[in-house]
């Protein structure tokens, strides 16, 4: 099959692109390199630097493409609180621009990388796709709006759509910016170099940490699964882990007893997030297989930044 992946130079995009290309598919990747690194891509992935708003470029890249994976986005919850307009432009405007180009060229299916963050604080866990979302940050709102745009424009123009609500993915190659880094690689790095681990709140807030290869297996399945048009489907581990438990795990795998500091809770944070995977199992035959401790050990082993 022919694929276009937006955000292909990013953490999830590059893992997906390399997997599809290993399976023998033709893979094109688009990324503006605002965060990604094209060196993460294998030699058979056709990479183009560019922005989602570059319509002529999208028209060219979409020729003969069967399925588009839309991963290009700004991805930090705290950063979105500071710069909501940028998040709206990139994540909502970018998605609409891509859907317009897909409408013009004619593509069979789009798989959107949405987020478990759209659920926000609902109290009840695990989170099912049938629950009404309660987003708590501009990032979460932008992902929910992208879901609606993809499904609505897709429905109007006969493009099949699947939105995957990915929970907290981690693994080798995850982007580690100096400000607002994702928690897993940040804690691993801090623990390894004997730094402190800062917890916002009391550490009882929970997340569903899912290893990158499991996420990729769900994304691959979403390209060809039957009877998924218009659906949103959770992709997580199905395990709820508190920040305190994550820290214990990080200390175990790094062999460090890094100091933990508790600071006031930040805004936009959600107290509990854990995916219900029944729909993913039914529609995508999705079976996550890597436990957190194992995933952290593999990350330490495979990611040269932790050597
Ligand atoms: P990432 O930052 O590594 O990848 C996103 C990529 O998109 C980057 O390479 C960036 O350069 C690119 N990009 C941003 N704006 C662009 C634009 N306007 N045009 C072209 N390229 C652009 O992040 P990731 O963790 O790989 O996330 C990929 C997708 O999965 C995102 O849509 C994110 O919202 C979603 N997601 C990720 C997680 C996670 O835990 N990693 C969880 C839920 C959802």
């Amino acid at each position: 099959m022919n694929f276009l992946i937006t955000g292909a130079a990013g953490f999830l995009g590059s893992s997906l692109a390399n997997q599809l290309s290993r399976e023998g598919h033709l893979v094109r990747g688009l990324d503006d390199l605002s965060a990604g690194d094209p060196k993460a891509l294998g030699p058979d992935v056709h990479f183009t630097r560019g922005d989602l708003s570059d319509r002529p470029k999208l028209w060219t890249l979409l020729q003969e493409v069967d399925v588009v994976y839309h991963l290009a986005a700004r991805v930090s919850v705290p950063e979105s609180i500071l710069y909501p307009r940028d998040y709206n432009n990139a994540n909502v405007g970018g998605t609409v621009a891509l859907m317009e180009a897909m409408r013009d060229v004619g593509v069979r299916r789009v798989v959107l990388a949405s987020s478990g963050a759209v659920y926000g604080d609902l109290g009840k866990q695990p989170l099912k796709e049938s629950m009404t979302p309660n987003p708590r940050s501009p990032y979460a709102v932008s992902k929910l709006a992208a879901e609606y745009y993809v499904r609505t424009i897709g429905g109007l123009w006969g493009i099949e759509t699947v939105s995957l609500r990915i929970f907290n993915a981690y693994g080798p190659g995850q982007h580690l910016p100096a400000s607002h880094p994702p928690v897993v690689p940040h804690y691993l790095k801090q623990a390894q170099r004997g730094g402190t681990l800062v917890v916002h709140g009391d550490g009882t807030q929970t997340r569903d940490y899912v290893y990158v290869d499991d996420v990729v297996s769900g994304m691959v399945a979403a390209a060809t699964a039957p009877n998924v048009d218009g659906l949103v489907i959770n992709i997580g581990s199905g395990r709820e882990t508190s920040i305190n438990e994550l820290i214990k795990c990080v200390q175990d795998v790094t062999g460090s007893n890094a100091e933990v500091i508790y600071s006031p809770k930040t805004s936009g944070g959600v107290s509990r997030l854990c995916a219900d995977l029944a729909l993913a199992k039914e529609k995508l035959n999705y079976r996550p297989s890597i436990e957190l401790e194992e995933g952290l050990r593999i990350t330490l082993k495979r990611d040269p930044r932790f050597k």
Side-chain angles (χ1 to χ4, degrees):
M1 286 173 68
N2 285 0
F3 293 99
L4 172 67
I5 302 175
T6 73
F11 165 49
L12 295 179
S14 57
S15 301
L16 174 66
N18 292 337
Q19 176 61 29
L20 290 171
S21 131
R22 274 194 296 271
E23 290 178 11
H25 300 289
L26 284 174
V27 185
R28 292 179 193 150
L30 173 75
D31 200 298
D32 69 355
L33 302 185
S34 52
D37 181 356
K39 289 200 282 297
L41 292 167
D44 293 330
V45 177
H46 303 273
F47 178 71
T48 300
R49 182 176 187 169
D51 189 274
L52 289 168
S53 60
D54 187 338
R55 217 177 202 202
K57 195 169 270 180
L58 283 175
W59 284 332
T60 306
L61 289 173
L62 285 168
Q63 298 299 323
E64 314 294 331
V65 162
D66 302 299
V67 175
V68 171
Y69 284 100
H70 178 34
L71 280 73
R74 303 279 294 265
V75 301
S76 157
V77 167
E79 193 187 60
S80 78
I81 293 165
L82 298 173
Y83 309 109
R85 196 156 35 113
D86 291 349
Y87 272 68
N88 188 63
N89 289 343
N91 297 4
V92 185
T95 300
V96 176
L98 175 67
M99 291 305 293
E100 265 189 27
M102 285 179 56
R103 172 204 64 189
D104 296 343
V105 175
V107 169
R108 181 149 52 81
R109 182 177 289 192
V110 58
V111 179
L112 170 73
S114 181
S115 170
V118 305
Y119 288 108
D121 262 325
L122 291 183
K124 254 178 88 178
Q125 304 290 326
L127 298 156
K128 292 186 202 302
E129 295 85 346
S130 54
M131 293 172 168
T132 305
N134 180 26
R136 299 289 305 273
S137 66
Y139 170 73
V141 172
S142 75
K143 286 279 146 184
L144 187 57
E147 284 183 12
Y148 278 120
Y149 268 119
V150 161
R151 193 169 58 189
T152 304
I153 298 174
L156 288 167
W157 293 93
I159 305 163
E160 294 176 358
T161 69
V162 192
S163 293
L164 301 179
R165 286 187 181 157
I166 302 164
F167 282 64
N168 282 63
Y170 70 94
Q174 186 163 20
H175 194 214
L176 189 46
S179 65
H180 311 302
V183 66
V184 171
H186 178 60
Y187 280 173
L188 284 175
K189 192 84 212 154
Q190 285 295 99
Q192 227 186 16
R193 65 177 169 209
T196 50
L197 308 183
V198 178
V199 177
H200 299 288
D202 62 5
T204 56
Q205 65 271 42
T206 64
R207 293 292 181 269
D208 177 325
Y209 298 100
V210 57
Y211 187 67
V212 57
D213 289 1
D214 285 329
V215 177
V216 167
S217 76
M219 290 197 287
V220 169
T224 51
N227 308 318
V228 291
D229 185 20
L231 292 184
V232 293
I233 303 176
N234 289 340
I235 295 290
S237 68
R239 294 284 175 91
E240 190 173 7
T241 304
S242 71
I243 286 284
N244 289 328
E245 288 164 336
L246 173 68
I247 285 175
K248 171 83 179 57
C249 228
V250 165
Q251 288 174 329
D252 286 349
V253 299
T254 55
S256 129
N257 52 3
E259 189 192 0
V260 182
I261 293 176
Y262 291 86
S263 77
K265 208 172 166 183
T266 51
S267 55
V270 170
S271 33
R272 294 177 68 192
L273 284 179
C274 182
D276 180 289
L277 298 179
L279 192 63
K281 283 182 184 148
E282 182 197 327
K283 297 289 181 184
L284 305 177
N285 195 24
Y286 172 71
R287 303 258 185 291
S289 63
I290 312 278
E291 299 279 339
L292 181 59
E293 186 169 330
E294 187 191 355
L296 294 178
R297 286 191 197 282
I298 304 172
T299 305
L300 284 178
K301 211 162 119 190
R302 292 207 190 137
D303 192 325
R305 295 171 303 176
F306 299 117
K307 292 276 181 289

